[in-house]
Amino acid sequence: MPVANNNKKHQNTRVVELLSVFPALCLVCVLAIASITPALGQSETGLNWVSTWSASPSSLPPGLLPPEQVTDAFSNQTLRLIAHTSIGGDVVRIRISNTHGNKRLMIGAASIALQAQGSDIVPATLTKLTFGGQDSIAISRGGLVFSDPVAFTVPALSNLSVSLYLPEPSGTVTTHLAAAQTNYVSEPGDFSGSDTFGAAQEIPVWNYLTAIDVGRRDGITAIVTLGDSITDGVGSTANSNNRWPNYLARRLLNDSNEPEFAVVNAGISGNRVLQENSPRFGENLQQRFERDVLALSGVSHIVLLEGINDIGMARMFAGEDVSPDEIIAGYRQIITRAHARGIKIIGATLTPFEDAAYYSEDGEAKRLAVNAWIRGSGEFDGIIDFEIPVRDPSNNNHLIPAFTADNLHPNDAGYKAMAEAIDLNLFR
């Protein structure tokens, strides 16, 4: 018994000793962790990664596609994809997505360059991209990869040319359909290292490329413009980069009195807040928000303009009618998820659509109810009243005739008016 008591006393003494040094040990651990953990959005090299361009997948997973659309699209061919930047930088990386693929996607080689004209590039800027130090990479079904960071001068408001060589049958393609941009597919072969494309086929879509990030050594952040075809730029002149987010990017970068921001586009033509049922309109906003917005680099602000398709498409698809309260409930979820990441979210009013293909008086009443909530609820961090600059003064239910060809989508002039109506103080 005395021996047991002595052992117990010895054990208690050791516990006290350990407890006495525990705070110091914890401090050492915290300091060690802090020394190896970069700040939010930064790499171990101190770079601040910010997305300068993005394109959300508007195709749908194979399980939601008609069987005839689940097929190989490319084999032993090179894609050359044109992307218009917002901010610039001296280090770049790209994101390639097989989100909607039905099998593994093989990238045999990849490169980036400045676009010269069409599928031609500026030869001196051609730069090979690697993946974990390798020229090629296999992307799992549903997966996404980053290229390795590479030194490359990315000018602001410029056109980049990204080439992807696909040596094997591609499977179902992850696509952004309403690109308003001409892209290119080569004849058979690897043209990722070539200045020109032989017998290039033009395509009006972006395939696989979903974001381009630049590395910065300042605190610049990104504004994500989130919405449907009106954010996607349907109705704007192809290859002109005259979507309203492009006009906003130019305003921010050209005004010396305003802070600089990247402006990236997460619009999908036909997209809805609550539902989806078409092979070309993407998953609903609730489903895609994490992938298309929160996963981008350096996001500090979101501008949300979506809901008109939830209202109008109710006439086109049986059983899909939604109330203003349901759309508002969808908004509230997006607001909550943005705030959980410390991101400010700005609500934008829905623009008029009288005489559009899916207009109805009931739909107009819903639009007005949704807009009244956006303006008056106080739940967004700010408001952009897009309705005001584009509505016809003689008929507030209608777009200004000179601003539209189809009474739903603005044209270049309409998109410019929208961007110029934005109070840039919202982003300060």
Side-chain angles (χ1 to χ4, degrees):
M1 291 295 293
V3 173
N5 286 337
N6 287 339
N7 286 341
K8 184 174 182 180
K9 181 178 180 180
H10 178 71
Q11 291 169 357
N12 288 340
T13 300
R14 291 294 298 147
V15 168
V16 171
E17 290 174 350
L18 287 172
L19 289 174
S20 69
V21 301
F22 186 76
L25 290 172
C26 288
L27 178 61
V28 171
C29 291
V30 169
L31 291 174
I33 291 170
S35 69
I36 63 173
T37 304
L40 180 65
Q42 292 187 337
S43 71
E44 64 279 3
T45 61
L47 288 176
N48 175 38
W49 286 106
V50 185
S51 296
T52 185
W53 175 90
S54 70
S56 303
S58 59
S59 51
L60 286 176
L64 295 178
L65 288 174
E68 65 273 12
Q69 294 191 26
V70 183
T71 182
D72 295 314
F74 306 106
S75 182
N76 187 29
Q77 291 171 288
T78 306
L79 304 179
R80 186 156 281 181
L81 307 168
I82 311 303
H84 188 69
T85 66
S86 54
I87 59 166
D90 293 321
V91 183
V92 70
R93 67 187 183 188
I94 69 170
R95 304 187 192 195
I96 308 172
S97 171
N98 192 26
T99 297
H100 294 155
N102 61 336
K103 63 181 181 181
R104 183 185 79 161
L105 173 69
M106 190 69 191
I107 303 296
S111 65
I112 190 168
L114 294 181
Q115 182 194 29
Q117 185 175 5
S119 62
D120 293 346
I121 62 169
V122 178
T125 67
L126 181 61
T127 302
K128 182 172 70 172
L129 298 173
T130 58
F131 307 88
Q134 303 299 310
D135 291 345
S136 62
I137 191 168
I139 307 176
S140 300
R141 179 178 58 82
L144 176 143
V145 299
F146 286 78
S147 67
D148 298 330
V150 63
F152 182 89
T153 299
V154 177
L157 305 176
S158 64
N159 281 359
L160 303 181
S161 179
V162 174
S163 296
L164 305 177
Y165 172 54
L166 310 178
E168 300 177 358
S170 63
T172 304
V173 183
T174 299
T175 297
H176 183 97
L177 287 165
Q181 174 66 57
T182 302
N183 299 289
Y184 305 92
V185 182
S186 77
E187 60 191 4
D190 178 5
F191 289 85
S192 63
S194 300
D195 297 345
T196 59
F197 256 31
Q201 173 191 352
E202 295 184 355
I203 55 172
V205 302
W206 287 302
N207 293 323
Y208 303 116
L209 182 68
T210 57
I212 299 175
D213 295 348
V214 292
R216 307 269 302 201
R217 296 195 181 276
D218 55 19
I220 200 167
T221 59
I223 301 166
V224 179
T225 58
L226 177 60
D228 48 40
S229 55
I230 295 174
T231 297
D232 210 1
V234 172
S236 65
T237 302
N239 303 317
S240 67
N241 299 300
N242 283 337
R243 312 163 190 88
W244 74 258
N246 298 127
Y247 282 113
L248 173 60
R250 291 193 282 269
R251 280 192 67 197
L252 288 164
L253 291 174
N254 292 332
D255 189 336
S256 59
N257 295 319
E258 298 297 336
E260 289 189 354
F261 285 92
V263 179
V264 290
N265 197 321
I268 295 179
S269 177
N271 201 236
R272 288 188 275 175
V273 175
L274 301 172
Q275 302 183 73
E276 79 281 308
N277 60 16
S278 169
R280 58 182 297 114
F281 296 155
E283 293 103 328
N284 68 76
L285 181 58
Q286 309 296 315
Q287 195 281 336
R288 72 183 186 91
F289 184 63
E290 186 83 22
R291 178 197 68 208
D292 293 351
V293 180
L294 299 183
L296 295 173
S297 297
V299 179
S300 60
H301 295 77
I302 298 167
V303 178
L304 175 60
L305 172 61
E306 186 157 335
I308 199 67
N309 291 321
D310 293 77
I311 294 168
M313 287 185 181
R315 298 190 64 196
M316 303 169 64
F317 303 107
E320 296 190 0
D321 187 53
V322 296
S323 68
D325 285 345
E326 289 174 300
I327 295 171
I328 290 165
Y331 289 162
R332 283 179 164 141
Q333 288 300 315
I334 298 301
I335 292 169
T336 298
R337 292 166 69 183
H339 286 167
R341 296 290 189 91
I343 298 171
K344 292 184 177 180
I345 181 164
I346 297 162
T349 55
L350 304 181
T351 51
F353 72 125
E354 186 175 26
D355 291 331
Y358 59 29
Y359 177 81
S360 68
E361 291 186 3
D362 178 63
E364 175 63 8
K366 291 179 180 180
R367 184 184 74 87
L368 295 176
V370 169
N371 280 354
W373 181 86
I374 292 171
R375 293 185 180 110
S377 70
E379 296 192 33
F380 285 105
D381 297 300
I383 302 298
I384 298 173
D385 208 337
F386 276 145
E387 177 185 16
I388 303 296
V390 297
R391 72 186 184 190
D392 187 344
S394 64
N395 178 4
N396 287 347
N397 298 342
H398 205 287
L399 290 173
I400 295 172
F403 280 179
T404 184
D406 64 3
N407 302 308
L408 178 63
H409 303 100
N411 54 23
D412 293 357
Y415 287 131
K416 183 179 181 181
M418 289 171 65
E420 290 182 344
I422 298 171
D423 180 359
L424 299 185
N425 288 318
L426 288 167
F427 308 115
R428 288 188 178 275

